[in-house]
Amino acid sequence: MQRVGFTIFPGYSMMGLAVISVFDLANMLAEKPVYDVRLLSESGGLVQSSVGMRIETEAFDAADYDTLIIGGGTEIAPPSPGLTAFLRETPQRRRRTASICTGAFVLAEAGLLDGRRATTHWFHARHLQALFPKVKVDEDRIFVIDGPIYTSAGMTAGIDLALALIEEDLGLEIARSVARKLVVYHRRAGGQSQFSALLELEPKSDRIQSALAYAKRNLHSRLTVEQLAEAAHLSPRQFSRAFHAETGQSPAKAVEHLRIEEARMMMEQRTRPIDSIARDTGFSDRDHMRRAFLRAFGQPPQVIRRNARGEARI
């Protein structure tokens, strides 16, 4: 039996505990106890979540864990010295170490992400990169696997990560069956950018917001900087400077993200030809759209459509 240690700390998010249900269902469907899941904390006993609920835990010990998972919290705070020491002192006694959402900050503080690719919730990704420059932050992935280190994006992405762990251990069919039981995608297509390019940009001024709203309404058009600047009532030079200062992106890159987001939704929800979708979302042709999808999602449009149809039949 594989021991899985799920580590929490004061202020943890209850949503992250959904991961435990994934392992529980895997035990049920495998028809034998594969995973022995333990809730851990530095001192043991009751630990209070961000919503005030408390849950019983075991204290850190010297036991070997096949997989150690660090839960996330709604706020980012430095981990306790005890938690950091626990992570640093026990890597040789576990096969895998994983984090959910902001738990990546805990792994980074312990030095476990140095030189590795990792992800966290898109809202905190740039903060993670700024605090820990040795980490290669990939802010658009649902989860990232780099050697023995596994990191996931937001709280629900912990379910995606747990399914990947189960597929690694027990095979594809068990992982698919668990996903069916949970009524979730076995493999979610795309990255975090699907949860709104507009949310990721977060412009601060009404002028830049107006330009983005104009772009969203006119994705079928060419959308030059001059057009966007006019919608924002700024000169092209003023607009480009203000846009980058508020969003951290160039207008061209932001527009491409909006086009990709719209095209992806159309690919998943409709049966229209790919050429037609490419035209209606402002891509010059299907090859241009394909290259954009590969950059954003690591998959071509046809695969994303096929995955969406396959999951819809589950």
Side-chain angles (χ1 to χ4, degrees):
M1 192 182 310
Q2 298 181 21
R3 287 168 62 93
V4 177
F6 190 95
T7 303
I8 60 175
F9 42 82
Y12 70 93
S13 172
M14 294 292 293
M15 179 70 76
L17 295 178
V19 169
I20 294 173
S21 296
V22 183
F23 292 106
D24 184 35
L25 281 172
N27 280 340
M28 183 188 308
L29 292 168
E31 299 182 347
K32 60 180 180 180
V34 178
Y35 298 106
D36 175 17
V37 182
R38 306 293 182 92
L39 276 168
L40 307 176
S41 69
E42 184 172 353
S43 302
L46 293 172
V47 180
Q48 185 166 299
S49 73
S50 60
V51 296
M53 294 180 65
R54 297 185 177 189
I55 192 165
E56 187 69 33
T57 64
E58 301 175 22
F60 296 158
D61 56 27
D64 293 340
Y65 288 93
D66 179 80
T67 304
L68 186 67
I69 302 174
I70 307 300
T74 54
E75 296 183 359
I76 297 171
S80 70
L83 175 54
T84 301
F86 176 64
L87 288 171
R88 287 175 176 166
E89 292 171 0
T90 59
Q92 71 277 9
R93 296 206 301 270
R94 57 182 179 266
R95 179 165 61 102
R96 304 178 294 207
T97 302
S99 67
I100 298 173
C101 194
T102 57
F105 285 80
V106 179
L107 297 188
E109 184 68 37
L112 300 185
L113 299 185
D114 287 356
R116 296 188 183 276
R117 291 175 57 248
T119 193
T120 187
H121 192 288
W122 63 265
F123 185 79
H124 300 292
R126 293 176 188 172
H127 184 40
L128 179 65
Q129 186 67 84
L131 281 179
F132 303 99
K134 293 182 181 180
V135 182
K136 302 171 185 176
V137 179
D138 190 340
E139 62 183 86
D140 192 48
R141 294 301 177 213
I142 299 296
F143 63 85
V144 169
I145 302 172
D146 190 332
I149 306 297
Y150 298 62
T151 52
S152 78
M155 294 296 174
T156 60
I159 295 174
D160 299 80
L161 178 56
L163 288 169
L165 295 174
I166 287 166
E167 182 174 342
E168 189 176 285
D169 295 338
L170 304 178
L172 179 61
E173 289 308 314
I174 292 291
R176 280 180 173 168
S177 296
V178 172
R180 291 190 189 101
K181 286 284 189 180
L182 292 170
V183 196
V184 298
Y185 290 118
H186 166 230
R187 291 177 182 154
R188 244 193 292 186
Q192 295 191 69
S193 59
Q194 66 186 283
F195 303 110
S196 188
L198 285 176
L199 282 176
E200 182 183 356
L201 291 168
E202 288 193 309
K204 299 176 178 62
S205 70
D206 291 342
R207 290 187 173 188
I208 302 302
Q209 288 176 351
S210 296
L212 285 169
Y214 174 85
K216 185 75 172 173
R217 292 193 305 269
N218 294 278
L219 289 176
H220 60 281
S221 303
R222 184 162 170 260
L223 290 175
T224 64
V225 170
E226 287 74 19
Q227 287 175 302
L228 296 175
E230 184 177 351
H233 304 292
L234 294 168
S235 71
R237 179 176 292 184
Q238 288 174 320
F239 173 74
S240 293
R241 283 202 303 263
F243 192 94
H244 193 278
E246 292 189 26
T247 68
Q249 295 186 19
S250 69
K253 180 58 69 175
V255 168
E256 180 176 87
H257 284 171
L258 292 174
R259 294 192 199 282
I260 292 169
E261 182 176 64
E262 184 68 17
R264 181 181 180 278
M265 290 177 61
M266 294 170 73
M267 289 292 303
E268 291 185 340
Q269 298 173 3
R270 307 179 193 177
T271 58
R272 291 173 53 194
I274 292 177
D275 288 325
S276 174
I277 292 174
R279 286 194 304 270
D280 288 350
T281 52
F283 290 104
S284 56
D285 53 46
R286 65 185 293 160
D287 288 338
H288 183 194
M289 185 172 78
R290 182 179 186 276
R291 291 193 296 273
F293 268 58
L294 287 172
R295 285 194 298 272
F297 306 133
Q299 296 176 321
Q302 297 93 328
V303 172
I304 286 179
R305 169 172 279 178
R306 185 164 61 247
N307 287 346
R309 289 175 175 173
E311 297 292 356
R313 290 194 291 269
I314 291 177

